[in-house]
Amino acid sequence: CFGFPLSIFFIVINEFCERFSYYGMKAVLTLYFTRFLHWDDNFATAIYHTFVALCYLTPILGAIIADSWLGKFKTILYLSIVYAIGQAVLSVGSINELTNNNQNGSTKNLGLNIALSMVGLILIALGTGGIKPCVSAFGGDQFEDEQEKQRSTFFSLFYLSINAGSLLSTLITPTLRASQCGIHTKQECYPLAFGVPAVLMAVALVVFVIGSKMYKKVKPQGNIMLEVSKCVGFAIKNRFRHRSKEFPKREHWLDWASEKYDKRLIAQTKMVLRVLFLYIPLPMFWAVFDQQGSRWTLQATAMNGDFGFKIQPDQMQIVNPILIVIMVPVVNSVVYPLVKKCKLNFTPLRKMTVGMFLGAMAFVAAALVQVQIDKNYPVFPASGQSQIKLINLGAAPATVQFQPQLQNVDVAPNETTGYMTFETSKLQSLHIISATLNKTQSLELLGGERYTLAFKEGPTGINSNFIHDNITSKPESGKSLVRFINNFPVTVNVTMGDTDFGELDSFSVSNYSDVPEPDRSYTISVSMPLADCEVPSKAFGYGGAYTVSLDGCAGNNLNIKYFEDMAPNTVHMAWQIPQYFLLTCAEVLFSVTGLEFSYSQAPSNMKAVLQAGWLLSVAVGNIIVLIVAGASTIKKQWAEYVLFASLLLVVCVIFAIMASFYTYIDPNEIEAQFREEEKEKDKKDDNEKEIEADSRM
C-alpha cells in the first residue's frame, strides 16, 4: 500500500490506541489517588512515581523476553493481554459502589478499591513497559533492506501516532473524570476516565491480532544486553582473581575479558560503557521532568482554570505535547541553524547541559507560582490548635469574650470575623455580650479543627450555634463548598439547583456540599409552611467555601448573605505555562538530543543496550522523587521546588565537567577497522592453510 507493507498500518493504529490508553489513564492518576482514595499529596506523589518507575524498569524485561525466547510478536501479544486486563481491573477498582455500603457517597472501607487499583497498575506497568522496546523495532522488521526511505517514513508516522494519542487522551480523560456518575450518588467519574483507556487498549490488542497473518516475524536471535552483562561480569571476576602484582596490568579493565570474549565485543562494550558513564547524572533531570503529572497537577488544583471555558487541573499536562509538536521543528529549522551561523560549537553534550539548566529554571518558575498561591492559601490549625470564626446574624452589635481572659472581639451586625487561632488546651468557654443580653457557652474543642460560632440577639435571649466546620484543606473535588444557616424562626426546606440540602430547623446549619459548576449561577429556593422564596446565587468560583445565611422573604424574593469561609483560587492556571515552556525546551534539548547522541556513539548492534540504560535513568529519576516525597520534612511546596531546582543545577555542573572530558567517536569507523582486521586475519589463515597443504603434498 503506497510502497509500504500493509502490516505497518496495524502497528501504527495499535500504537496510537496504546498511547491513548497509557497517557489517558496516567493523566488522571494523581487526582484519583488524592480525591477518590483520599491519600495525602506526598503519598499520592510517591505511589505515582513508583508506578512510572515500574513502567521504565520493565522494558528491560520485555527486551530480554523478546530477544531471547518469545520473539517480538508473541511478547507484544501476551503482554498486551496483561496490559488490557490491568486497565480493566483499574477501572473496576475505581467504582465507588464496590465498598459504599451506606449509599450516601461516603465510602466506609476503601480496601477493595485500593487492592484492585494496585493490582491494575502493576499489570499496566508490566504491559506498557514490556512492549515498549518491542513495538517500534517490530515495525522496523516489516521492511526489506532496500526500503530504507519507507522505514524512515514509518518511524515518523509511528512517533506522530504516539504524540496524537498522548495529546487527545490528555484532553479527553480529564473531561470524563470531571463528569458526574454513580448508582446511588453522583461523583467524579473515574470508572469512565479509566474505562475509556481500557476500551482503547482492548481495541489496540484486537487491531494487532487482526494483522497477525501479514506480519514478518523475525525469530529471537539472542539478547545483546545479556552478552554485554556477561562480558563485564567476567572481566570484573577475572580481574579480581588476578589482583596480585605478578600479573601485568592491562590497558583497560575490560581487557581482562579477552580470555573468553573476542576483541570486537570488548571494544564495542567499551564504547557503550563510556556513554553509560555519562548517564549517571541523568536521573536527576527525569526526577524533575516527570513531576508534571504529580506535583504540577496538584499545584493546578489550587489555581483558577477559567479560560472562558473550564480547564481541569489534570488537563494542563496537555501543554507539554502541544509545545513539543511546535518546538521540535522550530528548534531544528531555526534555532540550531542560527547557532551554527554564529559559529558556536553547540555539541550534543552541551545541548543536554543547557537542557538540564532550563529544567532547573522551570522548577524555579514553579516555585514562584507556588509562592503566589500560598499568599492566598488559608492557614489551617496545627494539631494542638483550634480556629474559631464568629458570625453575628442579629441586628445588634456584640462582643465575644474568649475565656479564660484570652481576648475580646467586637462583631458588628451581619458581619463576620476571620478564623482566629487558639491553643486548644487554653480555651475553655465563650461569653457573648450584646446591648442588653449575655450568654456563656462552654467549649469542647478538638485540636487541628475549625469551628464557627453563629449568634444573634433574639426576643427571648441570645440564639447561638457552635458549629464544627469539618474542613481543614481546600475542597478535594477542586470545586467550591457551600452550606446554609437558617435565620428564619421556622423550619425550612432548602435547595440550590438540583442539590437538596433538606430541612433546616431555626438557626441550624446544613453540611457543606459541592457546588457542581462553581462558575455559574443557581436558583436557591426555600420552602416554608406559608411561603416559597427563591433568589439566583452568585458564581462561587473554584476552591472556595461559603456559608449562606437565609435571612428573610419579601414578595417571594429570598434575602440572603454570603460569608466567605475560604477564599476561592485566584492565581490563574495560565501562570503555569512559563514553567511548562521552560520544561519543554529542556526536553527538546535534553531528551531528543540525548537519544541522538547515544545512538551516534554506540555500535550498530548495541543500540538496545543504550536504550535500556536510557529507560533505566528515567526509572531511577522517578525513584528519587518518591524517596524525596516520602522522606522530606519540607513543609512548604515552593521550598521543595527550589530543592529540586538546586539539585538539578548541581548535577548540571557535574555533567558539564564529565562531558568536557568526553571524546566523540565514530563507531562505524572502529567497526570498519575490525572488519578489515578480520579480513586480514582470514586472509592470513587461508595463506597458512595453503602453505600447510603444499608442504604435505
Side-chain angles (χ1 to χ4, degrees):
C1 184
F2 302 106
F4 294 92
L6 189 60
S7 57
I8 66 115
F9 294 99
F10 292 96
I11 295 170
V12 169
I13 295 169
N14 166 271
E15 184 66 10
F16 168 80
C17 294
E18 188 275 326
R19 290 290 87 186
F20 186 109
S21 177
Y22 174 73
Y23 283 108
M25 172 276 305
K26 189 169 157 234
V28 301
L29 197 57
T30 298
L31 295 188
Y32 173 67
F33 291 156
T34 56
R35 294 182 179 180
F36 184 85
L37 298 181
H38 304 297
W39 291 344
D40 65 52
D41 289 357
N42 281 345
F43 189 65
T45 299
I47 297 299
Y48 174 89
H49 287 283
T50 301
F51 167 70
V52 176
L54 279 174
C55 290
Y56 284 95
L57 284 171
T58 49
I60 298 171
L61 179 63
I64 292 172
I65 292 171
D67 292 342
S68 301
W69 296 298
L70 296 179
K72 297 183 187 74
F73 173 76
K74 287 184 179 178
T75 302
I76 296 169
L77 177 63
Y78 296 156
L79 289 180
S80 291
I81 294 170
V82 172
Y83 193 166
I85 292 170
Q87 288 280 30
V89 170
L90 178 61
S91 180
V92 171
S94 66
I95 297 173
N96 181 60
E97 280 75 15
L98 282 179
T99 49
N100 181 18
N101 299 324
N102 47 7
Q103 300 185 2
N104 65 354
S106 62
T107 309
K108 283 185 176 180
N109 180 13
L110 286 167
L112 181 58
N113 299 88
I114 292 171
L116 288 174
S117 298
M118 293 305 101
V119 169
L121 289 175
I122 290 169
L123 294 176
I124 291 168
L126 182 61
T128 189
I131 68 175
K132 193 184 291 289
C134 302
V135 181
S136 60
F138 185 66
D141 290 344
Q142 306 307 306
F143 296 88
E144 303 299 332
D145 291 341
E146 65 274 9
Q147 291 182 296
E148 192 59 41
K149 185 179 178 182
Q150 288 91 336
R151 184 185 283 112
S152 176
T153 305
F154 159 72
F155 282 116
S156 297
L157 284 172
F158 186 81
Y159 289 111
L160 178 64
S161 71
I162 291 173
N163 286 319
S166 165
L167 205 144
L168 283 174
S169 62
T170 309
L171 180 66
I172 292 169
T173 53
T175 304
L176 298 176
R177 187 266 310 157
S179 63
Q180 301 284 308
C181 67
I183 298 171
H184 303 299
T185 55
K186 300 298 180 185
Q187 296 187 344
E188 286 187 319
C189 202
Y190 291 101
L192 184 60
F194 290 137
V196 169
V199 170
L200 264 291
M201 190 58 225
V203 170
L205 178 59
V206 170
V207 168
F208 186 73
V209 171
I210 289 172
S212 62
K213 291 185 179 178
M214 304 177 198
Y215 298 137
K216 179 183 175 183
K217 300 166 187 173
V218 179
K219 292 182 179 179
Q221 297 176 344
N223 193 284
I224 192 67
M225 283 190 289
L226 292 178
E227 286 298 309
V228 171
S229 300
K230 288 177 182 177
C231 179
V232 170
F234 182 78
I236 294 170
K237 189 177 177 182
N238 203 28
R239 176 68 186 91
F240 187 75
R241 267 198 214 130
H242 303 89
R243 61 188 181 276
S244 63
K245 291 181 180 179
E246 61 184 87
F247 296 101
K249 288 185 177 181
R250 305 199 180 182
E251 188 177 343
H252 191 281
W253 63 270
L254 261 177
D255 293 332
W256 288 96
S258 58
E259 282 88 337
K260 187 175 180 181
Y261 295 93
D262 62 63
K263 289 183 178 179
R264 188 173 187 174
L265 178 65
I266 292 171
Q268 290 171 332
T269 304
K270 286 177 183 177
M271 286 186 262
V272 166
L273 290 181
R274 289 173 72 244
V275 178
L276 289 178
F277 176 71
L278 286 175
Y279 281 4
I280 293 173
L282 303 194
M284 198 62 232
F285 176 84
W286 298 115
V288 165
F289 181 81
D290 279 335
Q291 289 189 58
Q292 293 176 84
S294 56
R295 291 300 198 201
W296 285 14
T297 298
L298 292 171
Q299 184 185 61
T301 62
M303 302 177 78
N304 177 11
D306 184 11
F307 287 81
F309 52 90
K310 175 60 181 171
I311 290 288
Q312 300 297 327
D314 33 2
Q315 278 179 321
M316 279 303 290
Q317 298 172 59
I318 201 173
V319 175
N320 177 250
I322 290 173
L323 287 175
I324 278 286
V325 171
I326 298 169
M327 293 294 297
V328 169
V330 168
V331 168
N332 287 331
S333 60
V334 178
V335 177
Y336 289 161
L338 281 175
V339 170
K340 193 173 181 181
K341 278 190 176 181
C342 295
K343 296 182 179 179
L344 295 173
N345 187 18
F346 204 28
T347 63
L349 291 178
R350 286 175 182 171
K351 291 175 186 175
M352 292 176 70
T353 304
V354 174
M356 283 186 170
F357 176 77
L358 290 176
M361 292 303 99
F363 261 58
V364 171
L368 294 174
V369 170
Q370 190 65 45
V371 168
Q372 295 304 312
I373 293 171
D374 290 348
K375 285 181 180 178
N376 297 310
Y377 203 82
V379 177
F380 294 104
S383 57
Q385 297 175 332
S386 299
Q387 290 182 338
I388 297 177
K389 174 182 180 175
L390 307 175
I391 301 178
N392 183 356
L393 295 174
T399 299
V400 177
Q401 298 176 344
F402 292 88
Q403 303 293 344
Q405 289 145 19
L406 294 177
Q407 68 182 89
N408 296 341
V409 180
D410 295 325
V411 190
N414 299 312
E415 292 295 333
T416 182
T417 66
Y419 282 98
M420 296 168 284
T421 304
F422 300 90
E423 295 297 321
T424 306
S425 59
K426 293 181 180 179
L427 185 57
Q428 298 173 4
S429 63
L430 293 169
H431 193 58
I432 308 167
I433 305 170
S434 66
T436 57
L437 300 168
N438 62 78
K439 179 180 180 180
T440 298
Q441 180 154 349
S442 59
L443 302 175
E444 291 183 10
L445 304 176
L446 297 173
E449 297 292 334
R450 282 183 157 190
Y451 299 87
T452 296
L453 175 67
F455 61 89
K456 73 174 181 179
E457 181 180 323
T460 58
I462 294 178
N463 295 326
S464 66
N465 191 349
F466 193 71
I467 309 151
H468 182 201
D469 288 349
N470 200 30
I471 51 169
T472 52
S473 65
K474 280 280 190 176
E476 283 188 350
S477 64
K479 300 174 182 178
S480 275
L481 299 172
V482 63
R483 65 180 177 181
F484 292 92
I485 183 166
N486 178 14
N487 203 13
F488 285 90
V490 295
T491 299
V492 299
N493 189 282
V494 185
T495 60
M496 188 180 82
D498 295 330
T499 306
D500 187 357
F501 286 83
E503 287 191 348
L504 292 180
D505 294 331
S506 179
F507 224 66
S508 65
V509 181
S510 70
N511 292 324
Y512 281 111
S513 288
D514 278 342
V515 179
E517 296 178 54
D519 50 359
R520 56 165 282 205
S521 177
Y522 294 87
T523 298
I524 299 173
S525 301
V526 168
S527 297
M528 295 178 288
L530 299 177
D532 292 332
C533 307
E534 62 182 37
V535 69
S537 74
K538 71 171 189 175
F540 291 94
Y542 287 83
Y546 300 86
T547 298
V548 180
S549 170
L550 308 170
D551 292 333
C553 185
N556 295 329
N557 291 321
L558 183 63
N559 295 323
I560 61 174
K561 281 192 293 291
Y562 296 93
F563 299 100
E564 189 177 86
D565 302 333
M566 190 184 301
N569 302 334
T570 55
V571 180
H572 202 276
M573 280 186 199
W575 285 107
Q576 278 197 321
I577 293 175
Q579 67 202 53
Y580 272 103
F581 175 76
L582 286 168
L583 197 62
T584 304
C585 292
E587 181 185 4
V588 172
L589 287 167
F590 180 89
S591 182
V592 177
T593 306
L595 284 170
E596 290 175 1
F597 164 77
S598 302
Y599 274 65
S600 70
Q601 298 297 292
S604 57
N605 64 333
M606 293 203 177
K607 311 289 188 188
V609 179
L610 286 181
Q611 178 73 4
W614 185 266
L615 295 174
L616 185 63
S617 73
V618 180
V620 174
N622 282 273
I623 292 170
I624 290 171
V625 180
L626 70 93
I627 290 171
V628 172
S632 174
T633 57
I634 297 173
K635 300 297 182 185
K636 295 291 185 180
Q637 186 56 54
W638 67 264
E640 186 179 288
Y641 288 147
V642 171
L643 171 65
F644 274 105
S646 303
L647 289 173
L648 186 54
L649 280 174
V650 171
V651 169
C652 177
V653 172
I654 294 170
F655 182 77
I657 295 169
M658 291 170 64
S660 67
F661 290 99
Y662 185 84
T663 304
Y664 291 86
I665 60 169
D666 185 352
N668 294 328
E669 285 186 10
I670 296 172
E671 289 183 324
Q673 289 175 8
F674 275 104
R675 282 194 293 270
E676 286 297 321
E677 288 177 8
E678 287 170 1
K679 284 181 184 177
E680 290 292 329
K681 186 182 177 185
D682 291 341
K683 193 174 180 181
K684 186 178 178 181
D685 290 343
D686 290 342
N687 289 336
E688 287 177 355
K689 286 177 183 178
E690 285 178 12
I691 293 169
E692 189 179 341
D694 290 341
S695 64
R696 285 177 182 173
M697 291 174 68

